[in-house]
Amino acid sequence: MSLTDEERSIIVRLELEKARNTFRQTEELRKLGYWDTIANRLYYAVFHAVSALLIRDGHLVNTHKGAISAFGLHYIRTGVLPQELGRLYSDLQIMRNNSDYNCSYDVTREEIEPKIEQAERFIARISELVGDI
């Protein structure tokens, strides 16, 4: 599927808005102590930020695994973004997957709280990189 520059710009903007809105949901979830749900929301916030970047640069992916792979290939391995962002994205994907699909796994406060600020910085860095759309 080929997009016009205007269509691409709109989708990128919407993806970044989705990333920010999804991240903001963690504020209330934190007060309630819903650590598994925070892991889910952080993963999706980061996923939407990454999607914005991939779409902006014309990298089409069809799966979450494909997005992680393309992000690593085009932005982490090339040094455009630091390795810790790739690690965070991967860690959040694993936590989300485990907490969503493994009934014997629960995300703890100690595991997820440091990742909240990291995810906020991640989204901010992607937003900077994408620039004004």
Side-chain angles (χ1 to χ4, degrees):
M1 171 173 88
S2 117
L3 300 170
T4 67
D5 288 344
E6 183 180 351
E7 290 168 332
R8 183 179 313 283
S9 179
I10 289 168
I11 294 170
V12 168
R13 183 178 45 77
L14 291 172
E15 287 285 359
L16 285 175
E17 284 177 17
K18 184 76 165 182
R20 292 180 190 116
N21 289 337
T22 302
F23 177 81
R24 277 194 290 277
Q25 294 170 11
T26 63
E27 295 168 15
E28 291 302 314
L29 295 168
R30 194 177 197 177
K31 293 175 193 173
L32 297 168
Y34 292 155
W35 312 117
D36 283 341
T37 308
I38 290 170
N40 177 287
R41 298 291 74 203
L42 289 180
Y43 168 74
Y44 278 104
V46 166
F47 168 77
H48 286 290
V50 167
S51 294
L53 184 60
L54 292 171
I55 291 165
R56 182 204 67 172
D57 293 341
H59 304 296
L60 296 176
V61 296
N62 295 316
T63 65
H64 288 266
K65 190 174 182 175
I68 288 172
S69 179
F71 181 71
L73 179 67
H74 297 292
Y75 305 100
I76 303 301
R77 286 189 188 158
T78 59
V80 172
L81 291 167
Q83 286 188 353
E84 64 259 15
L85 294 186
R87 244 179 272 114
L88 175 65
Y89 187 21
S90 198
D91 289 349
L92 288 172
Q93 192 273 339
I94 291 166
M95 288 176 102
R96 191 231 18 129
N97 213 32
N98 286 339
S99 68
D100 282 357
Y101 300 110
N102 184 342
C103 65
S104 66
Y105 176 81
D106 290 312
V107 175
T108 65
R109 177 183 190 160
E110 294 74 27
E111 284 178 291
I112 201 63
E113 276 203 327
K115 301 211 180 304
I116 294 171
E117 186 177 324
Q118 294 170 11
E120 185 173 32
R121 287 193 310 265
F122 185 110
I123 294 164
R125 182 63 186 105
I126 298 294
S127 295
E128 288 172 12
L129 196 56
V130 169
D132 289 330
I133 295 295

